[in-house]
PDB file of all heavy atoms in Angstrom:
ATOM      1  N   PHE A  98     114.603 210.260 117.957  1.00  0.00           N
ATOM      2  CA  PHE A  98     113.211 210.553 117.627  1.00  0.00           C
ATOM      3  C   PHE A  98     112.581 211.524 118.618  1.00  0.00           C
ATOM      4  O   PHE A  98     111.854 212.433 118.242  1.00  0.00           O
ATOM      5  CB  PHE A  98     112.415 209.233 117.599  1.00  0.00           C
ATOM      6  CG  PHE A  98     111.001 209.400 117.127  1.00  0.00           C
ATOM      7  CD1 PHE A  98     110.721 209.638 115.781  1.00  0.00           C
ATOM      8  CD2 PHE A  98     109.941 209.334 118.023  1.00  0.00           C
ATOM      9  CE1 PHE A  98     109.418 209.796 115.345  1.00  0.00           C
ATOM     10  CE2 PHE A  98     108.634 209.485 117.594  1.00  0.00           C
ATOM     11  CZ  PHE A  98     108.373 209.727 116.254  1.00  0.00           C
ATOM     12  N   GLN A  99     112.902 211.319 119.888  1.00  0.00           N
ATOM     13  CA  GLN A  99     112.317 212.195 120.901  1.00  0.00           C
ATOM     14  C   GLN A  99     112.765 213.637 120.716  1.00  0.00           C
ATOM     15  O   GLN A  99     111.962 214.567 120.748  1.00  0.00           O
ATOM     16  CB  GLN A  99     112.718 211.710 122.298  1.00  0.00           C
ATOM     17  CG  GLN A  99     112.203 212.607 123.425  1.00  0.00           C
ATOM     18  CD  GLN A  99     112.709 212.171 124.777  1.00  0.00           C
ATOM     19  OE1 GLN A  99     112.240 211.178 125.315  1.00  0.00           O
ATOM     20  NE2 GLN A  99     113.695 212.888 125.306  1.00  0.00           N
ATOM     21  N   GLY A 100     114.067 213.831 120.500  1.00  0.00           N
ATOM     22  CA  GLY A 100     114.596 215.183 120.283  1.00  0.00           C
ATOM     23  C   GLY A 100     114.006 215.826 119.043  1.00  0.00           C
ATOM     24  O   GLY A 100     113.711 217.025 119.026  1.00  0.00           O
ATOM     25  N   ALA A 101     113.813 215.006 117.993  1.00  0.00           N
ATOM     26  CA  ALA A 101     113.234 215.526 116.762  1.00  0.00           C
ATOM     27  C   ALA A 101     111.792 215.976 116.967  1.00  0.00           C
ATOM     28  O   ALA A 101     111.352 217.003 116.439  1.00  0.00           O
ATOM     29  CB  ALA A 101     113.316 214.469 115.662  1.00  0.00           C
ATOM     30  N   LEU A 102     111.025 215.208 117.750  1.00  0.00           N
ATOM     31  CA  LEU A 102     109.636 215.591 118.042  1.00  0.00           C
ATOM     32  C   LEU A 102     109.563 216.897 118.828  1.00  0.00           C
ATOM     33  O   LEU A 102     108.673 217.726 118.628  1.00  0.00           O
ATOM     34  CB  LEU A 102     108.929 214.477 118.805  1.00  0.00           C
ATOM     35  CG  LEU A 102     108.526 213.240 117.996  1.00  0.00           C
ATOM     36  CD1 LEU A 102     107.825 212.233 118.896  1.00  0.00           C
ATOM     37  CD2 LEU A 102     107.635 213.621 116.810  1.00  0.00           C
ATOM     38  N   ILE A 103     110.525 217.091 119.740  1.00  0.00           N
ATOM     39  CA  ILE A 103     110.561 218.346 120.494  1.00  0.00           C
ATOM     40  C   ILE A 103     110.827 219.520 119.550  1.00  0.00           C
ATOM     41  O   ILE A 103     110.230 220.599 119.683  1.00  0.00           O
ATOM     42  CB  ILE A 103     111.634 218.271 121.597  1.00  0.00           C
ATOM     43  CG1 ILE A 103     111.207 217.261 122.665  1.00  0.00           C
ATOM     44  CG2 ILE A 103     111.868 219.644 122.226  1.00  0.00           C
ATOM     45  CD1 ILE A 103     112.265 217.008 123.723  1.00  0.00           C
ATOM     46  N   VAL A 104     111.698 219.304 118.574  1.00  0.00           N
ATOM     47  CA  VAL A 104     111.969 220.349 117.575  1.00  0.00           C
ATOM     48  C   VAL A 104     110.706 220.672 116.788  1.00  0.00           C
ATOM     49  O   VAL A 104     110.406 221.838 116.514  1.00  0.00           O
ATOM     50  CB  VAL A 104     113.107 219.905 116.627  1.00  0.00           C
ATOM     51  CG1 VAL A 104     113.198 220.837 115.417  1.00  0.00           C
ATOM     52  CG2 VAL A 104     114.431 219.888 117.372  1.00  0.00           C
ATOM     53  N   VAL A 105     109.929 219.643 116.446  1.00  0.00           N
ATOM     54  CA  VAL A 105     108.654 219.875 115.748  1.00  0.00           C
ATOM     55  C   VAL A 105     107.732 220.734 116.602  1.00  0.00           C
ATOM     56  O   VAL A 105     107.102 221.682 116.121  1.00  0.00           O
ATOM     57  CB  VAL A 105     107.970 218.524 115.415  1.00  0.00           C
ATOM     58  CG1 VAL A 105     106.565 218.777 114.851  1.00  0.00           C
ATOM     59  CG2 VAL A 105     108.798 217.742 114.414  1.00  0.00           C
ATOM     60  N   GLY A 106     107.666 220.413 117.902  1.00  0.00           N
ATOM     61  CA  GLY A 106     106.803 221.174 118.796  1.00  0.00           C
ATOM     62  C   GLY A 106     107.231 222.619 118.930  1.00  0.00           C
ATOM     63  O   GLY A 106     106.396 223.535 118.898  1.00  0.00           O
ATOM     64  N   VAL A 107     108.543 222.857 119.067  1.00  0.00           N
ATOM     65  CA  VAL A 107     109.052 224.231 119.190  1.00  0.00           C
ATOM     66  C   VAL A 107     108.788 225.008 117.901  1.00  0.00           C
ATOM     67  O   VAL A 107     108.359 226.173 117.935  1.00  0.00           O
ATOM     68  CB  VAL A 107     110.562 224.229 119.519  1.00  0.00           C
ATOM     69  CG1 VAL A 107     111.123 225.648 119.474  1.00  0.00           C
ATOM     70  CG2 VAL A 107     110.803 223.613 120.881  1.00  0.00           C
ATOM     71  N   ALA A 108     109.037 224.370 116.746  1.00  0.00           N
ATOM     72  CA  ALA A 108     108.811 225.042 115.462  1.00  0.00           C
ATOM     73  C   ALA A 108     107.349 225.418 115.292  1.00  0.00           C
ATOM     74  O   ALA A 108     107.024 226.538 114.869  1.00  0.00           O
ATOM     75  CB  ALA A 108     109.271 224.137 114.319  1.00  0.00           C
ATOM     76  N   ALA A 109     106.443 224.492 115.631  1.00  0.00           N
ATOM     77  CA  ALA A 109     105.008 224.767 115.500  1.00  0.00           C
ATOM     78  C   ALA A 109     104.584 225.911 116.416  1.00  0.00           C
ATOM     79  O   ALA A 109     103.813 226.802 116.025  1.00  0.00           O
ATOM     80  CB  ALA A 109     104.205 223.511 115.818  1.00  0.00           C
ATOM     81  N   ALA A 110     105.105 225.907 117.655  1.00  0.00           N
ATOM     82  CA  ALA A 110     104.758 226.966 118.602  1.00  0.00           C
ATOM     83  C   ALA A 110     105.266 228.317 118.113  1.00  0.00           C
ATOM     84  O   ALA A 110     104.553 229.336 118.196  1.00  0.00           O
ATOM     85  CB  ALA A 110     105.342 226.642 119.980  1.00  0.00           C
ATOM     86  N   LEU A 111     106.488 228.353 117.600  1.00  0.00           N
ATOM     87  CA  LEU A 111     107.050 229.617 117.095  1.00  0.00           C
ATOM     88  C   LEU A 111     106.268 230.144 115.905  1.00  0.00           C
ATOM     89  O   LEU A 111     106.028 231.356 115.781  1.00  0.00           O
ATOM     90  CB  LEU A 111     108.521 229.418 116.714  1.00  0.00           C
ATOM     91  CG  LEU A 111     109.514 229.379 117.885  1.00  0.00           C
ATOM     92  CD1 LEU A 111     110.898 229.007 117.393  1.00  0.00           C
ATOM     93  CD2 LEU A 111     109.557 230.728 118.600  1.00  0.00           C
ATOM     94  N   ILE A 112     105.863 229.254 115.010  1.00  0.00           N
ATOM     95  CA  ILE A 112     105.082 229.683 113.852  1.00  0.00           C
ATOM     96  C   ILE A 112     103.768 230.317 114.298  1.00  0.00           C
ATOM     97  O   ILE A 112     103.375 231.390 113.818  1.00  0.00           O
ATOM     98  CB  ILE A 112     104.824 228.504 112.897  1.00  0.00           C
ATOM     99  CG1 ILE A 112     106.130 228.096 112.199  1.00  0.00           C
ATOM    100  CG2 ILE A 112     103.767 228.862 111.852  1.00  0.00           C
ATOM    101  CD1 ILE A 112     106.006 226.860 111.331  1.00  0.00           C
ATOM    102  N   LEU A 113     103.079 229.673 115.225  1.00  0.00           N
ATOM    103  CA  LEU A 113     101.798 230.199 115.711  1.00  0.00           C
ATOM    104  C   LEU A 113     101.975 231.558 116.387  1.00  0.00           C
ATOM    105  O   LEU A 113     101.227 232.502 116.131  1.00  0.00           O
ATOM    106  CB  LEU A 113     101.156 229.208 116.683  1.00  0.00           C
ATOM    107  CG  LEU A 113     100.639 227.898 116.074  1.00  0.00           C
ATOM    108  CD1 LEU A 113     100.145 226.959 117.176  1.00  0.00           C
ATOM    109  CD2 LEU A 113      99.516 228.175 115.072  1.00  0.00           C
ATOM    110  N   VAL A 114     102.985 231.671 117.238  1.00  0.00           N
ATOM    111  CA  VAL A 114     103.197 232.921 117.982  1.00  0.00           C
ATOM    112  C   VAL A 114     103.614 234.052 117.052  1.00  0.00           C
ATOM    113  O   VAL A 114     103.056 235.160 117.104  1.00  0.00           O
ATOM    114  CB  VAL A 114     104.269 232.722 119.083  1.00  0.00           C
ATOM    115  CG1 VAL A 114     104.648 234.067 119.710  1.00  0.00           C
ATOM    116  CG2 VAL A 114     103.750 231.776 120.153  1.00  0.00           C
TER     117      VAL A 114
END
Side-chain angles (χ1 to χ4, degrees):
F98 186 73
Q99 177 185 285
L102 285 180
I103 292 174
V104 168
V105 173
V107 173
L111 283 173
I112 290 175
L113 291 175
V114 171

